[in-house]
Amino acid sequence: MKVLVVGGAGYIGSVCAELLLNEGHSVGIFDNLSEGHRRAVDSRATFMEGDLADRDRIQSCLAEFEPEAVMHFAASALVGESMENPSKYFRNNIGNGLNLLDAMVATGRNQLVFSSTCATFGPPDKVPIDESLPQRPINPYGESKLAFEKILRWYGEIHGLRFISLRYFNAAGASENFGEEHRVETHLIPNVLQVALGLKPHVEIYGTDYDTPDGTCIRDYIHILDLARAHILALEARKSEFYNLGTGGGSSVREVIDCCRRVTGHKIPVVEKPRRAGDPPRLIAASDKIQKELGWRPQFQNLDAIIESAWKWHRKFPSGYGD
């Protein structure tokens, strides 16, 4: 299959492109490199630099490359930043996303796999979070993704767009060649590993008095390879659908740090800080629906395996992508 990966120079997009290529697909990557990295573009892929804000550019790339399907990862994704600059999130995640959809309609491309988020649910009524729970986002990031999901429904009804929207929380780990490096790093595992690499003096824990076994927040960590396989499986879906993705379990902040200590052999000092506003004690996604309907099964449910893969990549590329 010929697949255009929009945002394919970023963390999740780069690994999805790599696996697609490994499985014999033809891959194009469209990215403006504002958050992604040129060195994260697989050399086997066709790279097209461009911004979704430029409707003509994405439309010309779609017309030239003629993909059978599109994967969409090009979104702003920092919850805290979305509370400070909501305009950026609504313009990029909704407005620029609309440019992609309209360009797809104009060029006759009608299959999309959308990288969404469980942040569309907000604080859940229960965990694990399944697709039946009400969606009540509490930040502009989650709101922008939910708005785009609603737009997808209408484009499906009016234009015949076939889509799969995948919602998940914490992508983690690495492939052999591509790993996690954000220009502003807010994710726990890479921040802990930067301490082990000697790049930071300590890791910070925000809140130690939550109603959890060790007092720290519990999150659902999903291996980037399992996540990429879910996106590739979504290409085979016969009808439009929304799926939650997770391991069905979770790890606390302290458990993640302890695991990083075991894997790296470093002490990793900790500084405890007060809670951050809006951090729920426990966020875990249920994946029963996608397992039943698409046959997806996570292969790396062990936290050690996730962190070992990330540590291997960070040791191999201690300076990251260097751009």
Side-chain angles (χ1 to χ4, degrees):
M1 180 180 280
K2 207 171 188 182
V3 183
L4 181 66
V5 182
V6 179
Y11 173 41
I12 303 171
S14 64
V15 177
C16 280
E18 179 185 21
L19 264 62
L20 283 165
L21 289 159
N22 289 349
E23 294 184 9
H25 299 281
S26 177
V27 174
I29 289 176
F30 183 91
D31 202 296
N32 66 6
L33 302 180
S34 64
E35 296 295 337
H37 308 273
R38 184 62 181 87
R39 286 179 59 191
V41 175
D42 196 299
S43 61
R44 298 169 292 173
T46 300
F47 178 60
M48 293 158 271
E49 187 169 352
D51 196 306
L52 288 182
D54 184 346
R55 158 74 186 277
D56 291 338
R57 175 60 177 157
I58 182 59
Q59 186 165 320
S60 66
C61 287
L62 284 165
E64 180 181 346
F65 189 68
E66 297 185 323
E68 298 163 77
V70 175
M71 289 185 175
H72 177 25
F73 298 97
S76 301
L78 298 178
V79 170
E81 183 187 49
S82 79
M83 294 294 287
E84 298 169 0
N85 187 4
S87 175
K88 174 182 177 180
Y89 281 71
F90 294 132
R91 289 179 187 276
N92 187 29
N93 296 358
I94 301 174
N96 293 349
L98 276 169
N99 283 342
L100 173 61
L101 295 183
D102 289 340
M104 289 179 65
V105 171
T107 56
R109 308 295 135 191
N110 70 347
Q111 184 175 0
L112 178 74
V113 178
F114 175 53
S115 175
S116 190
T117 173
C118 282
T120 62
F121 290 98
D125 295 333
K126 64 175 184 177
V127 291
I129 301 169
D130 62 35
E131 293 82 358
S132 69
L133 292 182
Q135 291 178 285
R136 299 174 298 218
I138 59 171
N139 52 65
Y141 167 60
E143 192 73 59
S144 68
K145 290 281 194 168
L146 178 57
F148 196 73
E149 286 193 350
K150 292 179 178 179
I151 290 167
L152 289 177
R153 292 181 189 270
W154 285 109
Y155 271 65
E157 182 173 329
I158 296 168
H159 296 297
L161 177 73
R162 191 167 82 253
F163 65 87
I164 295 294
S165 181
L166 299 175
R167 306 168 179 142
Y168 44 90
F169 284 118
N170 298 61
S175 69
E176 286 290 327
N177 298 309
F178 302 112
E180 186 171 13
E181 183 196 348
H182 302 102
R183 288 181 171 83
V184 177
E185 190 56 78
T186 62
H187 292 173
L188 178 61
I189 290 174
N191 273 318
V192 178
L193 294 180
Q194 285 179 13
V195 178
L197 287 167
L199 301 176
K200 290 185 176 181
H202 60 261
V203 66
E204 296 172 345
I205 296 179
Y206 293 93
T208 59
D209 59 348
Y210 287 96
D211 184 19
T212 61
D214 66 16
T216 64
C217 290
I218 292 174
R219 295 293 183 265
D220 192 345
Y221 294 89
I222 180 170
H223 199 295
I224 188 68
L225 293 177
D226 285 329
L227 202 56
R229 289 192 180 98
H231 285 79
I232 294 171
L233 270 176
L235 295 172
E236 304 172 10
R238 301 290 184 181
K239 62 183 180 70
S240 295
E241 196 52 87
F242 299 89
Y243 294 112
N244 294 359
L245 283 175
T247 62
S251 301
S252 72
V253 174
R254 290 196 193 278
E255 286 173 336
V256 170
I257 295 170
D258 286 343
C259 186
C260 287
R261 288 173 175 145
R262 289 196 306 272
V263 168
T264 67
H266 290 266
K267 291 183 178 180
I268 306 179
V270 163
V271 172
E272 297 181 0
K273 293 199 168 185
R275 293 186 184 191
R276 293 179 298 197
D279 272 348
R282 192 185 304 259
L283 291 173
I284 299 169
S287 299
D288 303 66
K289 183 178 176 182
I290 192 171
Q291 291 186 27
K292 179 181 178 182
E293 296 185 6
L294 297 186
W296 179 76
R297 297 286 187 279
Q299 302 298 308
F300 301 95
Q301 290 186 283
N302 184 289
L303 184 63
D304 288 65
I306 293 174
I307 291 175
E308 283 168 4
S309 70
W311 179 234
K312 182 178 180 181
W313 186 84
H314 281 284
R315 280 187 301 167
K316 187 177 180 182
F317 304 102
S319 300
Y321 291 110
D323 57 359

